[in-house]
mmCIF file of all heavy atoms in Angstrom:
data_model
loop_
_atom_site.group_PDB
_atom_site.id
_atom_site.type_symbol
_atom_site.label_atom_id
_atom_site.label_comp_id
_atom_site.label_asym_id
_atom_site.label_seq_id
_atom_site.Cartn_x
_atom_site.Cartn_y
_atom_site.Cartn_z
ATOM 1 N N SER A 358 -15.364 -15.719 18.784
ATOM 2 C CA SER A 358 -16.143 -15.469 17.747
ATOM 3 C C SER A 358 -15.982 -14.110 17.234
ATOM 4 O O SER A 358 -15.866 -13.883 15.915
ATOM 5 C CB SER A 358 -17.651 -15.683 18.103
ATOM 6 O OG SER A 358 -17.817 -17.079 18.476
ATOM 7 N N LEU A 359 -15.990 -13.121 17.973
ATOM 8 C CA LEU A 359 -15.867 -11.598 17.700
ATOM 9 C C LEU A 359 -14.512 -11.442 16.966
ATOM 10 O O LEU A 359 -14.393 -10.810 15.951
ATOM 11 C CB LEU A 359 -16.077 -10.779 18.818
ATOM 12 C CG LEU A 359 -15.954 -9.268 18.645
ATOM 13 C CD1 LEU A 359 -16.963 -8.737 17.652
ATOM 14 C CD2 LEU A 359 -16.057 -8.487 19.880
ATOM 15 N N GLY A 360 -13.487 -11.998 17.500
ATOM 16 C CA GLY A 360 -12.163 -11.873 17.079
ATOM 17 C C GLY A 360 -11.944 -12.420 15.693
ATOM 18 O O GLY A 360 -11.275 -11.916 14.815
ATOM 19 N N THR A 361 -12.659 -13.503 15.373
ATOM 20 C CA THR A 361 -12.431 -14.185 14.110
ATOM 21 C C THR A 361 -12.750 -13.348 12.966
ATOM 22 O O THR A 361 -12.037 -13.131 11.986
ATOM 23 C CB THR A 361 -13.297 -15.490 14.078
ATOM 24 O OG1 THR A 361 -12.788 -16.425 15.141
ATOM 25 C CG2 THR A 361 -13.055 -16.336 12.761
ATOM 26 N N PHE A 362 -13.966 -12.793 12.906
ATOM 27 C CA PHE A 362 -14.477 -11.955 11.738
ATOM 28 C C PHE A 362 -13.813 -10.724 11.747
ATOM 29 O O PHE A 362 -13.363 -10.066 10.666
ATOM 30 C CB PHE A 362 -16.012 -11.985 11.687
ATOM 31 C CG PHE A 362 -16.541 -10.905 12.408
ATOM 32 C CD1 PHE A 362 -16.619 -9.552 12.071
ATOM 33 C CD2 PHE A 362 -17.146 -11.243 13.648
ATOM 34 C CE1 PHE A 362 -17.160 -8.594 12.744
ATOM 35 C CE2 PHE A 362 -17.783 -10.220 14.534
ATOM 36 C CZ PHE A 362 -17.831 -8.910 14.007
ATOM 37 N N SER A 363 -13.616 -10.062 12.897
ATOM 38 C CA SER A 363 -12.878 -8.742 12.866
ATOM 39 C C SER A 363 -11.502 -8.849 12.467
ATOM 40 O O SER A 363 -10.989 -8.060 11.744
ATOM 41 C CB SER A 363 -13.137 -8.024 14.245
ATOM 42 O OG SER A 363 -12.560 -8.866 15.342
ATOM 43 N N LEU A 364 -10.786 -9.967 12.885
ATOM 44 C CA LEU A 364 -9.435 -10.009 12.468
ATOM 45 C C LEU A 364 -9.345 -10.360 10.928
ATOM 46 O O LEU A 364 -8.416 -9.790 10.139
ATOM 47 C CB LEU A 364 -8.688 -11.174 13.169
ATOM 48 C CG LEU A 364 -7.267 -11.490 12.939
ATOM 49 C CD1 LEU A 364 -6.406 -10.157 13.127
ATOM 50 C CD2 LEU A 364 -6.787 -12.617 13.641
ATOM 51 N N ALA A 365 -10.180 -11.152 10.425
ATOM 52 C CA ALA A 365 -10.373 -11.395 8.964
ATOM 53 C C ALA A 365 -10.490 -10.048 8.179
ATOM 54 O O ALA A 365 -9.827 -9.829 7.194
ATOM 55 C CB ALA A 365 -11.461 -12.302 8.651
ATOM 56 N N LEU A 366 -11.400 -9.080 8.793
ATOM 57 C CA LEU A 366 -11.528 -7.811 8.137
ATOM 58 C C LEU A 366 -10.155 -7.023 7.960
ATOM 59 O O LEU A 366 -9.733 -6.622 6.984
ATOM 60 C CB LEU A 366 -12.545 -6.980 8.706
ATOM 61 C CG LEU A 366 -14.009 -7.493 8.635
ATOM 62 C CD1 LEU A 366 -14.890 -6.764 9.585
ATOM 63 C CD2 LEU A 366 -14.483 -7.399 7.230
ATOM 64 N N GLY A 367 -9.481 -7.122 9.243
ATOM 65 C CA GLY A 367 -8.261 -6.363 9.194
ATOM 66 C C GLY A 367 -7.175 -6.923 8.422
ATOM 67 O O GLY A 367 -6.360 -6.199 7.721
ATOM 68 N N GLN A 368 -7.079 -8.262 8.274
ATOM 69 C CA GLN A 368 -6.150 -9.003 7.498
ATOM 70 C C GLN A 368 -6.379 -8.589 5.910
ATOM 71 O O GLN A 368 -5.501 -8.726 5.119
ATOM 72 C CB GLN A 368 -6.090 -10.435 7.755
ATOM 73 C CG GLN A 368 -5.566 -10.755 9.083
ATOM 74 C CD GLN A 368 -5.767 -12.260 9.399
ATOM 75 O OE1 GLN A 368 -6.726 -12.919 8.961
ATOM 76 N NE2 GLN A 368 -4.905 -12.713 10.170
ATOM 77 N N HIS A 369 -7.518 -8.139 5.495
ATOM 78 C CA HIS A 369 -7.895 -7.735 4.261
ATOM 79 C C HIS A 369 -7.852 -6.212 4.047
ATOM 80 O O HIS A 369 -8.378 -5.846 3.007
ATOM 81 C CB HIS A 369 -9.198 -8.489 3.853
ATOM 82 C CG HIS A 369 -9.048 -9.856 3.512
ATOM 83 N ND1 HIS A 369 -9.224 -10.732 4.631
ATOM 84 C CD2 HIS A 369 -8.754 -10.606 2.567
ATOM 85 C CE1 HIS A 369 -9.163 -12.019 4.110
ATOM 86 N NE2 HIS A 369 -8.900 -11.861 2.783
ATOM 87 N N GLY A 370 -7.367 -5.623 5.037
ATOM 88 C CA GLY A 370 -7.143 -4.184 4.880
ATOM 89 C C GLY A 370 -8.390 -3.359 5.136
ATOM 90 O O GLY A 370 -8.430 -2.122 4.852
ATOM 91 N N VAL A 371 -9.393 -3.925 5.802
ATOM 92 C CA VAL A 371 -10.723 -3.209 6.097
ATOM 93 C C VAL A 371 -10.607 -2.625 7.492
ATOM 94 O O VAL A 371 -10.328 -3.359 8.495
ATOM 95 C CB VAL A 371 -11.928 -4.122 5.968
ATOM 96 C CG1 VAL A 371 -13.249 -3.374 6.347
ATOM 97 C CG2 VAL A 371 -12.038 -4.719 4.512
ATOM 98 N N ASN A 372 -10.718 -1.346 7.627
ATOM 99 C CA ASN A 372 -10.673 -0.657 8.980
ATOM 100 C C ASN A 372 -12.050 -0.476 9.471
ATOM 101 O O ASN A 372 -12.917 0.091 8.844
ATOM 102 C CB ASN A 372 -9.955 0.696 8.824
ATOM 103 C CG ASN A 372 -9.574 1.300 10.119
ATOM 104 O OD1 ASN A 372 -9.551 0.568 11.164
ATOM 105 N ND2 ASN A 372 -9.254 2.579 10.042
ATOM 106 N N ILE A 373 -12.290 -0.968 10.784
ATOM 107 C CA ILE A 373 -13.659 -0.723 11.423
ATOM 108 C C ILE A 373 -13.516 0.706 12.100
ATOM 109 O O ILE A 373 -12.724 0.993 12.891
ATOM 110 C CB ILE A 373 -13.765 -1.851 12.560
ATOM 111 C CG1 ILE A 373 -13.901 -3.139 11.797
ATOM 112 C CG2 ILE A 373 -15.068 -1.518 13.408
ATOM 113 C CD1 ILE A 373 -14.020 -4.310 12.737
ATOM 114 N N LEU A 374 -14.433 1.499 11.521
ATOM 115 C CA LEU A 374 -14.469 3.001 12.078
ATOM 116 C C LEU A 374 -15.216 3.104 13.386
ATOM 117 O O LEU A 374 -14.951 3.958 14.224
ATOM 118 C CB LEU A 374 -14.923 3.751 10.892
ATOM 119 C CG LEU A 374 -14.158 3.755 9.707
ATOM 120 C CD1 LEU A 374 -14.801 4.690 8.526
ATOM 121 C CD2 LEU A 374 -12.716 4.174 9.907
ATOM 122 N N ALA A 375 -16.369 2.405 13.419
ATOM 123 C CA ALA A 375 -17.274 2.555 14.571
ATOM 124 C C ALA A 375 -17.857 1.147 14.766
ATOM 125 O O ALA A 375 -17.996 0.331 13.895
ATOM 126 C CB ALA A 375 -18.382 3.447 14.224
ATOM 127 N N PHE A 376 -18.146 0.755 16.099
ATOM 128 C CA PHE A 376 -18.340 -0.555 16.506
ATOM 129 C C PHE A 376 -19.213 -0.601 17.731
ATOM 130 O O PHE A 376 -18.985 0.176 18.646
ATOM 131 C CB PHE A 376 -17.013 -1.250 16.700
ATOM 132 C CG PHE A 376 -17.122 -2.606 17.281
ATOM 133 C CD1 PHE A 376 -17.428 -3.696 16.412
ATOM 134 C CD2 PHE A 376 -16.893 -2.916 18.631
ATOM 135 C CE1 PHE A 376 -17.554 -5.028 16.908
ATOM 136 C CE2 PHE A 376 -16.987 -4.207 19.105
ATOM 137 C CZ PHE A 376 -17.294 -5.203 18.287
ATOM 138 N N GLN A 377 -20.157 -1.621 17.736
ATOM 139 C CA GLN A 377 -20.833 -2.018 18.909
ATOM 140 C C GLN A 377 -21.082 -3.450 18.871
ATOM 141 O O GLN A 377 -21.356 -4.061 17.871
ATOM 142 C CB GLN A 377 -22.302 -1.252 18.826
ATOM 143 C CG GLN A 377 -23.277 -1.602 19.810
ATOM 144 C CD GLN A 377 -24.645 -1.063 19.531
ATOM 145 O OE1 GLN A 377 -25.113 -1.239 18.384
ATOM 146 N NE2 GLN A 377 -25.189 -0.312 20.307
ATOM 147 N N SER A 378 -20.943 -4.058 20.018
ATOM 148 C CA SER A 378 -21.362 -5.547 20.257
ATOM 149 C C SER A 378 -22.033 -5.813 21.460
ATOM 150 O O SER A 378 -21.858 -5.147 22.484
ATOM 151 C CB SER A 378 -19.885 -6.239 20.240
ATOM 152 O OG SER A 378 -20.213 -7.629 20.468
ATOM 153 N N TYR A 379 -23.044 -6.765 21.464
ATOM 154 C CA TYR A 379 -23.712 -7.102 22.513
ATOM 155 C C TYR A 379 -24.390 -8.531 22.370
ATOM 156 O O TYR A 379 -24.367 -9.056 21.312
ATOM 157 C CB TYR A 379 -25.013 -6.192 22.819
ATOM 158 C CG TYR A 379 -25.870 -6.015 21.520
ATOM 159 C CD1 TYR A 379 -27.076 -6.811 21.442
ATOM 160 C CD2 TYR A 379 -25.482 -5.040 20.594
ATOM 161 C CE1 TYR A 379 -27.815 -6.549 20.306
ATOM 162 C CE2 TYR A 379 -26.398 -4.933 19.484
ATOM 163 C CZ TYR A 379 -27.443 -5.635 19.269
ATOM 164 O OH TYR A 379 -28.258 -5.485 18.149
ATOM 165 N N VAL A 380 -24.815 -9.147 23.371
ATOM 166 C CA VAL A 380 -25.317 -10.432 23.409
ATOM 167 C C VAL A 380 -26.938 -10.393 23.528
ATOM 168 O O VAL A 380 -27.374 -9.619 24.337
ATOM 169 C CB VAL A 380 -24.769 -11.366 24.529
ATOM 170 C CG1 VAL A 380 -25.384 -12.702 24.631
ATOM 171 C CG2 VAL A 380 -23.295 -11.389 24.397
ATOM 172 N N GLU A 381 -27.473 -11.211 22.661
ATOM 173 C CA GLU A 381 -28.971 -11.209 22.714
ATOM 174 C C GLU A 381 -29.409 -12.690 22.371
ATOM 175 O O GLU A 381 -28.968 -13.144 21.380
ATOM 176 C CB GLU A 381 -29.477 -10.283 21.677
ATOM 177 C CG GLU A 381 -30.980 -10.210 21.633
ATOM 178 C CD GLU A 381 -31.385 -9.146 20.693
ATOM 179 O OE1 GLU A 381 -31.528 -7.842 21.053
ATOM 180 O OE2 GLU A 381 -31.770 -9.539 19.449
ATOM 181 N N GLU A 382 -30.123 -13.303 23.380
ATOM 182 C CA GLU A 382 -30.668 -14.628 23.216
ATOM 183 C C GLU A 382 -29.547 -15.669 22.720
ATOM 184 O O GLU A 382 -29.891 -16.338 21.828
ATOM 185 C CB GLU A 382 -31.864 -14.520 22.122
ATOM 186 C CG GLU A 382 -32.959 -13.672 22.650
ATOM 187 C CD GLU A 382 -34.158 -13.717 21.662
ATOM 188 O OE1 GLU A 382 -34.272 -14.516 20.859
ATOM 189 O OE2 GLU A 382 -34.999 -12.771 21.987
ATOM 190 N N GLY A 383 -28.437 -15.715 23.405
ATOM 191 C CA GLY A 383 -27.385 -16.665 23.166
ATOM 192 C C GLY A 383 -26.551 -16.349 21.983
ATOM 193 O O GLY A 383 -25.672 -17.220 21.664
ATOM 194 N N GLU A 384 -26.760 -15.364 21.233
ATOM 195 C CA GLU A 384 -25.907 -14.991 20.094
ATOM 196 C C GLU A 384 -25.233 -13.524 20.284
ATOM 197 O O GLU A 384 -25.848 -12.755 21.112
ATOM 198 C CB GLU A 384 -26.706 -14.901 18.877
ATOM 199 C CG GLU A 384 -27.220 -16.206 18.400
ATOM 200 C CD GLU A 384 -28.249 -16.066 17.246
ATOM 201 O OE1 GLU A 384 -28.961 -15.010 17.084
ATOM 202 O OE2 GLU A 384 -28.099 -16.931 16.270
ATOM 203 N N SER A 385 -24.170 -13.323 19.775
ATOM 204 C CA SER A 385 -23.471 -12.118 19.909
ATOM 205 C C SER A 385 -23.654 -11.395 18.480
ATOM 206 O O SER A 385 -23.567 -11.857 17.466
ATOM 207 C CB SER A 385 -21.864 -12.291 20.032
ATOM 208 O OG SER A 385 -21.211 -11.028 20.101
ATOM 209 N N LEU A 386 -24.168 -10.154 18.706
ATOM 210 C CA LEU A 386 -24.412 -9.257 17.559
ATOM 211 C C LEU A 386 -23.405 -8.206 17.598
ATOM 212 O O LEU A 386 -23.155 -7.498 18.565
ATOM 213 C CB LEU A 386 -25.897 -8.666 17.614
ATOM 214 C CG LEU A 386 -26.950 -9.671 17.496
ATOM 215 C CD1 LEU A 386 -28.203 -9.374 18.193
ATOM 216 C CD2 LEU A 386 -27.189 -10.033 16.002
ATOM 217 N N ALA A 387 -22.798 -7.950 16.381
ATOM 218 C CA ALA A 387 -21.846 -6.874 16.226
ATOM 219 C C ALA A 387 -22.286 -5.962 15.140
ATOM 220 O O ALA A 387 -22.550 -6.536 14.130
ATOM 221 C CB ALA A 387 -20.524 -7.385 15.871
ATOM 222 N N ARG A 388 -22.470 -4.632 15.444
ATOM 223 C CA ARG A 388 -22.793 -3.586 14.352
ATOM 224 C C ARG A 388 -21.504 -2.911 14.163
ATOM 225 O O ARG A 388 -20.858 -2.562 15.172
ATOM 226 C CB ARG A 388 -23.842 -2.794 14.850
ATOM 227 C CG ARG A 388 -25.209 -3.349 14.895
ATOM 228 C CD ARG A 388 -26.269 -2.212 15.212
ATOM 229 N NE ARG A 388 -27.591 -2.702 14.971
ATOM 230 C CZ ARG A 388 -28.486 -2.789 15.907
ATOM 231 N NH1 ARG A 388 -28.271 -2.363 17.125
ATOM 232 N NH2 ARG A 388 -29.674 -3.332 15.531
ATOM 233 N N PHE A 389 -21.244 -2.528 12.990
ATOM 234 C CA PHE A 389 -20.116 -1.725 12.668
ATOM 235 C C PHE A 389 -20.173 -1.095 11.249
ATOM 236 O O PHE A 389 -20.839 -1.472 10.390
ATOM 237 C CB PHE A 389 -18.757 -2.644 12.789
ATOM 238 C CG PHE A 389 -18.816 -3.882 11.958
ATOM 239 C CD1 PHE A 389 -18.166 -3.766 10.644
ATOM 240 C CD2 PHE A 389 -19.273 -5.029 12.444
ATOM 241 C CE1 PHE A 389 -18.283 -4.929 9.875
ATOM 242 C CE2 PHE A 389 -19.247 -5.999 11.560
ATOM 243 C CZ PHE A 389 -18.748 -6.007 10.255
ATOM 244 N N VAL A 390 -19.392 -0.085 11.285
ATOM 245 C CA VAL A 390 -19.176 0.794 10.016
ATOM 246 C C VAL A 390 -17.658 0.667 9.565
ATOM 247 O O VAL A 390 -16.864 0.754 10.505
ATOM 248 C CB VAL A 390 -19.593 2.370 10.207
ATOM 249 C CG1 VAL A 390 -19.207 3.088 8.964
ATOM 250 C CG2 VAL A 390 -21.107 2.413 10.597
ATOM 251 N N VAL A 391 -17.393 0.367 8.337
ATOM 252 C CA VAL A 391 -16.002 0.284 7.957
ATOM 253 C C VAL A 391 -15.656 1.342 6.797
ATOM 254 O O VAL A 391 -16.628 2.065 6.401
ATOM 255 C CB VAL A 391 -15.812 -1.046 7.337
ATOM 256 C CG1 VAL A 391 -16.033 -2.264 8.451
ATOM 257 C CG2 VAL A 391 -16.799 -1.361 6.116
ATOM 258 N N ASP A 392 -14.352 1.395 6.431
ATOM 259 C CA ASP A 392 -13.975 2.280 5.515
ATOM 260 C C ASP A 392 -14.115 1.714 4.078
ATOM 261 O O ASP A 392 -14.225 2.413 3.073
ATOM 262 C CB ASP A 392 -12.541 2.732 5.683
ATOM 263 C CG ASP A 392 -11.440 1.471 5.537
ATOM 264 O OD1 ASP A 392 -12.015 0.445 5.589
ATOM 265 O OD2 ASP A 392 -10.354 1.638 5.514
ATOM 266 N N GLU A 393 -14.179 0.479 3.962
ATOM 267 C CA GLU A 393 -14.456 -0.224 2.524
ATOM 268 C C GLU A 393 -15.588 -1.227 2.666
ATOM 269 O O GLU A 393 -15.323 -2.468 2.793
ATOM 270 C CB GLU A 393 -13.121 -0.848 2.158
ATOM 271 C CG GLU A 393 -12.003 0.168 1.987
ATOM 272 C CD GLU A 393 -10.750 -0.498 1.296
ATOM 273 O OE1 GLU A 393 -10.956 -1.093 0.140
ATOM 274 O OE2 GLU A 393 -9.870 -0.309 1.917
ATOM 275 N N PRO A 394 -16.817 -0.809 2.575
ATOM 276 C CA PRO A 394 -18.040 -1.666 2.602
ATOM 277 C C PRO A 394 -17.975 -2.816 1.602
ATOM 278 O O PRO A 394 -18.361 -3.901 1.966
ATOM 279 C CB PRO A 394 -19.140 -0.816 2.409
ATOM 280 C CG PRO A 394 -18.601 0.614 2.746
ATOM 281 C CD PRO A 394 -17.267 0.619 2.383
ATOM 282 N N ALA A 395 -17.703 -2.564 0.428
ATOM 283 C CA ALA A 395 -17.659 -3.668 -0.671
ATOM 284 C C ALA A 395 -16.650 -4.707 -0.288
ATOM 285 O O ALA A 395 -16.950 -5.885 -0.514
ATOM 286 C CB ALA A 395 -17.288 -3.065 -2.029
ATOM 287 N N LYS A 396 -15.454 -4.317 0.283
ATOM 288 C CA LYS A 396 -14.489 -5.329 0.545
ATOM 289 C C LYS A 396 -14.869 -6.017 1.758
ATOM 290 O O LYS A 396 -14.648 -7.261 1.889
ATOM 291 C CB LYS A 396 -13.028 -4.604 0.792
ATOM 292 C CG LYS A 396 -11.969 -5.676 0.863
ATOM 293 C CD LYS A 396 -10.553 -4.940 1.219
ATOM 294 C CE LYS A 396 -9.971 -4.448 0.033
ATOM 295 N NZ LYS A 396 -8.590 -3.923 0.254
ATOM 296 N N ALA A 397 -15.458 -5.364 2.749
ATOM 297 C CA ALA A 397 -16.014 -5.923 3.893
ATOM 298 C C ALA A 397 -17.039 -7.058 3.647
ATOM 299 O O ALA A 397 -16.973 -8.144 4.200
ATOM 300 C CB ALA A 397 -16.591 -4.953 4.942
ATOM 301 N N MET A 398 -17.898 -6.705 2.606
ATOM 302 C CA MET A 398 -18.917 -7.714 2.298
ATOM 303 C C MET A 398 -18.198 -8.979 1.694
ATOM 304 O O MET A 398 -18.577 -10.233 1.954
ATOM 305 C CB MET A 398 -19.842 -7.112 1.225
ATOM 306 C CG MET A 398 -21.033 -8.038 0.878
ATOM 307 S SD MET A 398 -22.329 -7.432 -0.044
ATOM 308 C CE MET A 398 -21.923 -5.739 -0.318
ATOM 309 N N GLU A 399 -17.169 -8.775 0.861
ATOM 310 C CA GLU A 399 -16.409 -9.825 0.362
ATOM 311 C C GLU A 399 -15.850 -10.848 1.345
ATOM 312 O O GLU A 399 -15.949 -11.979 1.351
ATOM 313 C CB GLU A 399 -15.384 -9.481 -0.622
ATOM 314 C CG GLU A 399 -15.747 -8.954 -1.918
ATOM 315 C CD GLU A 399 -14.573 -8.454 -2.735
ATOM 316 O OE1 GLU A 399 -13.544 -9.004 -2.566
ATOM 317 O OE2 GLU A 399 -14.776 -7.515 -3.536
#
């Protein structure tokens, strides 16, 4: 799951600058800051 969205960002040229991931109540939550927020949102 984590690899799918993070690889998609990379394939579109979005660089993850800072990152944190953890599991809470059966879901994985990932917080991150990127170099291109508008492109990451797309």
Side-chain angles (χ1 to χ4, degrees):
S358 295
L359 178 62
T361 299
F362 83 83
S363 57
L364 183 59
L366 290 169
Q368 289 172 334
H369 287 86
V371 177
N372 191 17
I373 297 173
L374 305 175
F376 172 78
Q377 173 190 55
S378 178
Y379 56 96
V380 174
E381 184 176 274
E382 298 180 14
E384 295 180 318
S385 182
L386 295 152
R388 287 188 167 122
F389 55 92
V390 175
V391 297
D392 62 347
E393 295 188 54
K396 190 183 280 188
M398 189 176 348
E399 286 178 33

